[in-house]
Amino acid sequence: MTVQALKQPGAPQSNQSATLLNVFLRLVLLLAIDGFLIWFALSAFGEGYTSLGIVIAFIGAGVNYIILVRDMYPLRWMLIGLILMVMFAIWPILLTIFVAFTNYGDGHLLTKVQSIELLQQERYLPEGDAAYSWTGYRNEAGEYALWLQNEAGESYLAYPGTSLIPASEAEGVGELDENGIPVTISGYERLNALQVASDQTIPSIQFGSELDGVQIRSAREAAQLQLRYVYDEATDVITNQETNTEYSPVEGVWTSSTGEVLPFGFREIVGASNFTRFFESPAFRGPLLRIITWNFAFAFLSVFTTFSLGLAIAYIYNDRTLPGRKIIQSFLLIPYTIPSLITIIIWRGMFNNQVGVINRTLDTMFGIAPEWTVDPSLAKLAIIIVNLWLGYPYFMLICSGALQAIPEDLYEAARVDGANAWQRFYKITLPLLLVAVGPLLVASFVYNFNNFNLIFLFIEGGPPIANSATRAGHTDILISYVYNFAFASGRAKEYGLGSAITIIIFLIVAVITLFQFRYTKMWEEVGEGV
Amino acid sequence: MSSLTIKQRKNLGHLARWLMAIVLIIFAIFPVVWVISASINPSNTLASAKLIPDNFGWDNYRLLFESPQFPFARWLWNSVKISSITTVLSVSITTLAAYAFSRLRFTGRQTMLKGILLIQVFPGLLAMIAIFTLVTQFGSIVPALGLDTHAGLIMVYLGGAMGVNIWLMKGFFDTIPRAIDESAMVDGATHWQIFSQLLLPLMRPILVVIGILSFIGTYGDFILARILLKSTEQYPLMVGLFIFTSGEFSQKWGPFAAGALIGALPIMIIYLLLQDQIVGGLTQGAVKG
């Protein structure tokens, strides 16, 4: 092997030049990476994605540190993995945590700056002195134009969407009448008084551009539109110029002293209020206790049933003298080999109340048709059955592996001492097995605690809990409850609240996971230190 | 009973266990048999499905491959492509990182290992919003990595490459005696030489297992692909199959069943062929709960 080549005398020298080449290659690589990252970060800032730019810059700094500092050598082995992990795993988690402390959601999707910008686009038509007298024109396509005259005697031609055109520069203006108003403008017909009076469209059209917008106020007068909202940075107040009402920001909504609010709320840090709302608001407290109880019960029952059945099968068929043992195991493994998304949907069809195969069979055999998706207890039972089907082969595999690792002489000794089959199982097999499989039981609990796919694809959390202030179902677990806040269509999205619940779920499973560390081999391996 | 010989009792035990096995096998394969029968039943609604269909036909399969509305072959190809590329790249990332965790000692090593596990248990549902935004922004800078591209999706999958599999892989590196690399080190071998020429060949069996598990995991993913891919043409199989379930699901039961079977087949074959190797890999860590 190549290792032998390294033993030859010439090796150290070639090693040295290899090191030089190494350093050179590393520098070239670093320059390429830096070039790309700098370009990327600058583009991000250019597009206005400040937070993305910051993350890229942060990653860039980390990459340089890892490549240039000698002590960081081990991390070079996982550089790409780390970059991608920071970008697509850690960063989204940090954002979720941040969002949990904001009111981000429908009505609060914009930043404060964006909300002010949007409000400043609104114009209104001021009362008072006429700025212009006007004459209307219309072309065959039903488009309008205005001829405007102000008190100083200046005339303008106005189309919707383009700046006012001074009379001297206007094109296509025909002969002027005694009042200085053109009889025709190319393509457009002048409207007479009757036409103007009966025209419903023209008062709602905004002529001119955004900056010098003009709108008709009465049959004779038109006026320049004014900014409706003016923001004062010093006092952090938005004033409605027409009514002189002042609006101050209250929890991301511009609110007047009388409680009037403006559209375009913005997102704002609201401290822990999402968390306190979650625990204290009566709207949540009702379904919450049920959901949490069911969440724990579901996770526990799932682990208990799948482990029990898996262990039973492994134990009963862990007998090499049994003919056809391999075939039985292969058949029993089948549920594990089909992507769970597919099988959950299949089970959903089978449990259909009216036309599902289960109810049709029960109906023919016993004349009953349980309402699986309507009755809360039956729905829960169905979920446990489906999850048992999905999950037992995993424990069957694990347990048959672990059983074979238990030394046969332990059983021999017990037999000699007169222990019966049940005692041998209870006193020898189970304790030894639990040592090996314990961490996997905890992992399975954590997995099922957040088993969104099953709850959502099978029954979408239903049946709904009646009289609940928030949308919640009898089979909802916390994570599927979160889905209702963040993604469910037809209701206001509350990302802030959803994120807060996510954090609470995370704390629960993190505590369980860390607790598991203490009692497992994994912990010892990490702790081996060396 | 006492009059039975040992051999008779043993046979009786076998018989009892076989009877029990038949009950269990019925439970295990019932949905599968049900789907097979639905897939060859030309009257393709849930209500008309029967265990033994009145007449057989391949109409549902033909519909899958001929209907322009559901580019099924394309979905299957997309799935295989995305899963294969993700698997190769993520196994490479995992293996390199696991080597460092197993053989090199550095500050923050234990913290990182624990952190990786904690990241895994974070409920990622809401992080999807952030991921969606990220990929959108990526796409406006580098369109090839944006929304509705397979490259963007794969990139996000790889963000999870530093995951539980690192623990699994590190465990296997740990089982290879350090004496092997220490003697090579004395002879002047670099870490890279030790990794690529000594340890990697020894790791081949477990690389295959982790590769398969990674492939199956990606193949079965639904949520990320659903969020990041927009056009029907780009869908992987799982997302495509999910389309069947929207709308009047019970009316499309037949084509769904046929698609589900074809989709499940590759994974079933892999499992049943490589059962023993996968069991070996699984017992080292929780990969699928």
Side-chain angles (χ1 to χ4, degrees), chain A residues 211-321:
Chain A
L211 294 173
D212 55 7
V214 166
Q215 205 168 340
I216 291 162
R217 198 168 57 194
S218 71
R220 281 200 44 77
E221 296 166 356
Q224 183 112 37
L225 293 166
Q226 302 287 324
L227 274 185
R228 182 183 285 277
Y229 298 105
V230 171
Y231 175 64
D232 180 14
E233 210 165 328
T235 53
D236 197 21
V237 163
I238 280 187
T239 311
N240 185 330
Q241 299 294 308
E242 190 178 11
T243 60
N244 265 325
T245 319
E246 293 192 336
Y247 298 88
S248 314
V250 176
E251 288 183 349
V253 182
W254 298 104
T255 315
S256 74
S257 53
T258 57
E260 241 184 294
V261 297
L262 297 180
F264 308 123
F266 53 93
R267 54 178 191 259
E268 198 179 49
I269 295 178
V270 293
S273 84
N274 284 326
F275 294 89
T276 50
R277 237 176 101 200
F278 180 66
F279 284 114
E280 286 169 6
S281 136
F284 289 111
R285 212 181 298 138
L288 188 64
L289 197 64
R290 278 188 181 176
I291 290 173
I292 293 184
T293 314
W294 162 241
N295 202 159
F296 275 97
F298 163 70
F300 176 78
L301 285 173
S302 295
V303 176
F304 181 76
T305 53
T306 52
F307 175 67
S308 302
L309 184 60
L311 172 61
I313 293 174
Y315 194 69
I316 293 170
Y317 298 101
N318 182 30
D319 176 359
R320 286 178 197 285
T321 64

Side-chain angles (χ1 to χ4, degrees), chain A residues 19-223:
Chain A
T19 322
L20 262 176
L21 184 73
N22 206 337
V23 171
F24 177 72
L25 280 178
R26 219 194 304 157
L27 277 177
V28 171
L29 182 74
L30 186 62
L31 280 177
I33 294 175
D34 279 353
F36 175 74
L37 286 179
I38 289 171
W39 170 78
F40 201 91
L42 287 179
S43 312
F45 283 120
E47 296 267 355
Y49 309 143
T50 318
S51 62
L52 178 66
I54 292 171
V55 182
I56 301 286
F58 174 79
I59 288 177
V63 168
N64 278 284
Y65 186 72
I66 289 173
I67 293 188
L68 291 175
V69 175
R70 207 186 169 80
D71 282 353
M72 290 288 108
Y73 172 76
L75 295 190
R76 285 175 211 158
W77 285 79
M78 51 188 98
L79 192 55
I80 294 173
L82 279 178
I83 294 174
L84 290 167
M85 181 172 83
V86 169
M87 196 82 240
F88 295 109
I90 296 178
W91 176 238
I93 289 177
L94 292 180
L95 275 180
T96 308
I97 295 172
F98 172 72
V99 168
F101 294 93
T102 71
N103 58 7
Y104 189 34
D106 277 355
H108 305 277
L109 291 169
L110 309 166
T111 63
K112 192 171 177 181
V113 176
Q114 283 171 325
S115 114
I116 293 170
E117 275 172 6
L118 273 178
L119 286 171
Q120 282 177 345
Q121 282 172 16
E122 294 211 6
R123 300 284 190 277
Y124 78 105
L125 200 55
E127 300 284 335
D129 299 338
Y132 302 103
S133 63
W134 63 274
T135 312
Y137 299 83
R138 187 171 55 189
N139 70 3
E140 280 181 1
E143 291 164 340
Y144 291 88
L146 283 191
W147 185 260
L148 301 167
Q149 288 172 303
N150 65 11
E151 283 170 358
E154 292 160 339
S155 299
Y156 297 94
L157 176 60
Y159 297 105
T162 52
S163 299
L164 301 188
I165 307 161
S168 55
E169 295 168 25
E171 286 168 21
V173 176
E175 213 174 299
L176 299 182
D177 66 9
E178 67 273 24
N179 295 324
I181 299 167
V183 181
T184 57
I185 296 171
S186 63
Y188 288 80
E189 290 273 334
R190 183 164 158 180
L191 300 173
N192 62 33
L194 189 64
Q195 283 170 314
V196 166
S198 60
D199 198 303
Q200 303 288 320
T201 336
I202 197 160
S204 60
I205 300 174
Q206 190 175 323
F207 292 92
S209 72
E210 230 165 69
L211 294 173
D212 55 7
V214 166
Q215 205 168 340
I216 291 162
R217 198 168 57 194
S218 71
R220 281 200 44 77
E221 296 166 356

Side-chain angles (χ1 to χ4, degrees), chain A residues 2 7 49 73-74 77 87 316-317 319 322-323 336-337 346 357 360 389 392 394 457 486 495 498-499 528-529, chain B residues 14 17-18 21 27-28 34-35 47 49 96 105-106 126 129 134 140 187 191 197 242 267-268 271 279 286 288:
Chain A
T2 337
K7 284 180 184 167
Y49 309 143
Y73 172 76
W77 285 79
M87 196 82 240
I316 293 170
Y317 298 101
D319 176 359
L322 183 70
Y336 195 60
T337 64
I346 293 173
V357 63
R360 278 194 285 151
W389 188 88
Y392 83 83
Y394 172 72
L457 292 175
Y495 299 128
S499 301
E528 114 200 346
Chain B
H14 284 171
R17 278 187 275 185
W18 257 102
F27 176 58
W34 183 240
V35 164
L96 286 166
R105 289 295 171 269
F106 49 98
L126 271 182
I129 300 169
L134 261 177
S140 64
D187 293 336
H191 273 297
Q197 289 163 18
F242 189 72
I267 308 290
M268 271 172 89
Y271 257 115
V279 173
K288 186 178 170 185

Side-chain angles (χ1 to χ4, degrees), chain B residues 76-87:
Chain B
L76 194 60
W77 163 242
N78 285 344
S79 267
V80 171
K81 184 180 98 179
I82 294 171
S83 310
S84 310
I85 298 175
T86 306
T87 300

